[in-house]
C-alpha cells in the first residue's frame, strides 16, 4: 500500500521554502500520493512578488507541482482572509479550502510534514 504525504507550508518565503519545495517535488517524482496545504504566512509564497524585496521568488517552482504529479494543492481560506489576500489572486492550480477540509486532509494523510 502506498502511503500518502501531506506537506504543510506555514512559513514566509526564504531558504526553508526552497528546501520544502524540493522535498515536495521529490515526493511527487516517487509517485507517492502527495498534497500541499499553504496556511498562515505560507500563503504569501503563492501571491507575493518576492523579487522586489530581494528574496528568491518561489512561485515559479511551486507552479511546477502538477508536472511532478502533485495536483492536490490547497490554501487555507482563513489564512488568506487574515492577510487580505483574495482567493482570485491564487494560481489556478491552488484550491482554497476551509478549516474542516484542512482537518480532513490532515487526518487522511499517512504522513504530515511541516516546514
Amino acid at each position: 500500500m502506498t502511503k500518502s504525504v501531506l506537506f504543510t507550508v506555514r512559513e514566509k518565503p526564504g531558504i526553508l521554502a526552497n528546501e520544502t519545495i524540493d522535498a515536495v517535488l521529490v515526493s511527487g517524482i516517487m509517485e507517492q500520493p502527495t498534497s500541499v496545504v499553504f496556511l498562515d504566512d505560507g500563503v504569501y509564497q503563492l501571491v507575493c512578488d518576492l523579487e522586489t524585496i530581494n528574496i528568491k521568488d518561489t512561485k515559479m517552482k511551486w507552479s511546477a507541482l502538477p508536472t511532478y504529479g502533485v495536483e492536490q494543492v490547497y490554501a487555507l481560506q482563513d489564512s488568506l482572509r487574515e492577510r487580505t489576500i483574495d482567493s482570485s489572486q491564487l494560481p489556478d492550480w491552488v484550491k482554497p479550502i476551509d478549516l474542516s477540509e484542512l482537518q480532513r486532509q490532515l487526518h487522511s494523510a499517512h504522513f504530515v510534514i511541516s516546514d
Side-chain angles (χ1 to χ4, degrees):
M1 178 165 111
T2 304
K3 303 286 185 179
S4 62
V5 178
L6 171 65
F7 288 86
T8 61
V9 179
R10 296 175 175 268
E11 299 294 325
K12 290 181 182 178
I15 293 170
L16 182 59
N18 286 307
E19 292 174 6
T20 302
I21 294 167
D22 291 343
V24 172
L25 295 178
V26 167
S27 182
I29 288 172
M30 302 304 276
E31 297 182 7
Q32 194 165 14
T34 303
S35 54
V36 182
V37 177
F38 292 86
L39 56 154
D40 301 333
D41 286 342
V43 297
Y44 287 125
Q45 294 192 42
L46 299 170
V47 296
C48 288
D49 183 8
L50 303 172
E51 291 176 1
T52 61
I53 54 174
N54 294 325
I55 296 176
K56 186 173 181 179
D57 196 341
T58 55
K59 286 186 295 188
M60 184 67 82
K61 267 184 136 176
W62 285 121
S63 68
L65 290 179
T67 306
Y68 287 82
V70 181
E71 297 177 358
Q72 296 180 327
V73 183
Y74 309 101
L76 185 63
Q77 290 172 333
D78 289 346
S79 296
L80 295 169
R81 189 173 24 261
E82 290 166 5
R83 288 152 185 83
T84 62
I85 298 171
D86 189 274
S87 61
S88 66
Q89 294 175 265
L90 296 174
D92 60 356
W93 42 268
V94 178
K95 178 184 174 189
I97 59 171
D98 61 20
L99 191 54
S100 65
E101 177 61 19
L102 172 62
Q103 291 171 339
R104 191 185 75 67
Q105 292 289 330
L106 290 168
H107 290 291
S108 66
H110 291 100
F111 300 101
V112 177
I113 301 172
S114 232
D115 63 354

